[in-house]
Amino acid sequence: MSFRKVNIIIWVLVVVLFLLVLHHNFLSLSNLLRNEVSDSGILGLQPIDFVADVHEHPINGKQEEIPVVIAASENRLGGTIAAINSIHHNTRSNVIFYIVTLNSTADHLRSWLNSVSLKSIRYKIVNFDTKLLEGKVKEDPDQGESMKPLTFARFYLPILVPSAKKAIYMDDDVIVQGDILALYNTPLKPGHAAAFSEDCDSASTKVIIRGAGNQYNYIGYLDYKKERIRKLSMKASTCSFNPGVFVANLTEWKRQNVTDQLEKWMKLNVEEGLYSRTLAGSITTPPLLIVFYQQHSTIDPMWNVRHLGSSVGKRYSPQFVKAAKLLHWNGHFKPWGRAASYADVWEKWYIPDPTGKFSLIRRHMDTSNIK
């Protein structure tokens, strides 16, 4: 056999070997991509579903992705659907919804998201492992939210959206009437990990919730009789903020270990009872108030027009409600319930449950006549 033939055989073998290696690497990459949406994530947060790019309106491929995180509880699922629908239909931006739920609710949620009106949205369903909260939350029948694990999902944003530098979190009792891009573009000051709407702002001024103390300053959320709280030297009269809607700088969040800080205060509250006994608002608010004391930016008040669920009566004019960028039914009276205010405004975005498990509770009531 000539030297030239040997060289040719060697080259053929090299090429075959190269193609085999390339094929193996391709298969490994394919497996990795499949695992990205099926394997368990860090700390028990597990992506279990993903819908790729399908859009009602053309989207510029260079548009920045806007991650919106929202929880989906079984008994409030209609709220989540209405919120998602309102965001989707009021923007042309590249939004992806990270919907945090429990395994027992995932199939119900998925069937609803397959509705014709929602088929063009992009979303990822993420399972929330309740073991995350062991030793951090004390079950208290008087404080219902302590037994609702998904309310704490907002503490784990960098894990829920690991590749994002910025994200929006919002509660399930909201509808969005503006373009979510405007909220996403909220400027955050250097060193600030989040921007909230303060409770002393002009849109939702100083509300007193019957039997729950003042819902606009720190003393309404924290027990200033406790030495550990006093040692923080936080003024009791400091204006609080609402954590139901906020924009997060996740790079800063991770740099400052915000999740670890929040968990620290959750554990200390279990041990020492640091929250106010007449807690105003959400059980998630006190640790956020501590961690973000004088270290947060603010969002436009019109992006969290709240207290729509605080009473049965209508506290805002039809013109003001129409002008709001985001309406928030925080409080006992949810828009899917019997005694909700402005229920007709919310119901425009509600999509009936195809399974029939979730239904609105209604009674005869006047509408707000908002056109």
Side-chain angles (χ1 to χ4, degrees), residues 175-195:
I175 60 157
V176 172
Q177 301 184 133
D179 188 337
I180 198 72
L181 178 62
L183 178 60
Y184 185 75
N185 286 336
T186 298
L188 274 71
K189 295 178 181 178
H192 286 183

Side-chain angles (χ1 to χ4, degrees), residues 27-222:
L27 289 176
S28 297
L29 179 60
S30 298
N31 288 333
L32 178 63
L33 292 174
R34 281 197 297 272
N35 290 341
E36 185 180 355
V37 297
S38 61
D39 285 351
S40 296
I42 301 171
L43 291 178
L45 297 171
Q46 178 184 5
I48 55 178
D49 204 358
F50 182 71
V51 170
D53 299 282
V54 183
H55 291 282
E56 205 171 76
H57 308 294
I59 295 243
N60 184 338
K62 295 181 180 178
Q63 272 192 326
E64 184 177 0
E65 185 176 275
I66 300 177
V68 176
V69 179
I70 187 167
S73 301
E74 181 68 32
N75 63 338
R76 300 164 62 107
L77 213 48
T80 303
I81 295 295
I84 289 172
N85 192 33
S86 69
I87 294 168
H88 175 63
H89 281 91
N90 283 303
T91 189
R92 298 175 66 90
S93 298
N94 185 15
V95 176
I96 177 168
F97 296 95
Y98 289 78
I99 310 172
V100 189
T101 192
L102 303 178
N103 266 331
S104 57
T105 302
D107 287 342
H108 185 190
L109 173 62
R110 192 178 295 109
S111 66
W112 214 333
L113 291 167
N114 285 333
S115 302
V116 174
S117 303
L118 296 170
K119 282 208 169 181
S120 58
I121 73 166
R122 296 178 65 216
Y123 66 87
K124 191 176 275 188
I125 298 176
V126 184
N127 176 54
F128 187 82
D129 188 348
T130 56
K131 291 180 181 177
L132 276 172
L133 303 178
E134 289 180 358
K136 304 181 187 79
V137 180
K138 182 189 297 182
E139 291 194 2
D140 181 357
D142 295 329
Q143 188 53 245
E145 282 192 334
S146 67
M147 293 179 274
K148 296 175 183 176
L150 293 178
T151 195
F152 299 97
R154 72 198 80 193
F155 290 0
Y156 299 94
L157 291 183
I159 303 167
L160 294 168
V161 199
S163 59
K165 295 180 180 177
K166 193 175 182 182
I168 294 170
Y169 171 85
M170 58 181 57
D171 283 344
D172 57 10
D173 54 356
V174 308
I175 60 157
V176 172
Q177 301 184 133
D179 188 337
I180 198 72
L181 178 62
L183 178 60
Y184 185 75
N185 286 336
T186 298
L188 274 71
K189 295 178 181 178
H192 286 183
F196 303 90
S197 176
E198 294 197 344
D199 290 322
C200 303
D201 63 40
S202 58
S204 305
T205 52
K206 300 183 179 180
V207 176
I208 297 180
I209 304 301
R210 186 177 301 170
N214 295 324
Q215 198 176 354
Y216 61 91
N217 57 29
Y218 271 48
I219 200 169
Y221 294 88
L222 298 166

Side-chain angles (χ1 to χ4, degrees), residues 233-250:
S233 299
M234 301 183 301
K235 289 184 178 179
S237 60
T238 301
C239 185
S240 55
F241 53 76
N242 180 274
V245 179
F246 64 90
V247 181
N249 177 336
L250 299 181

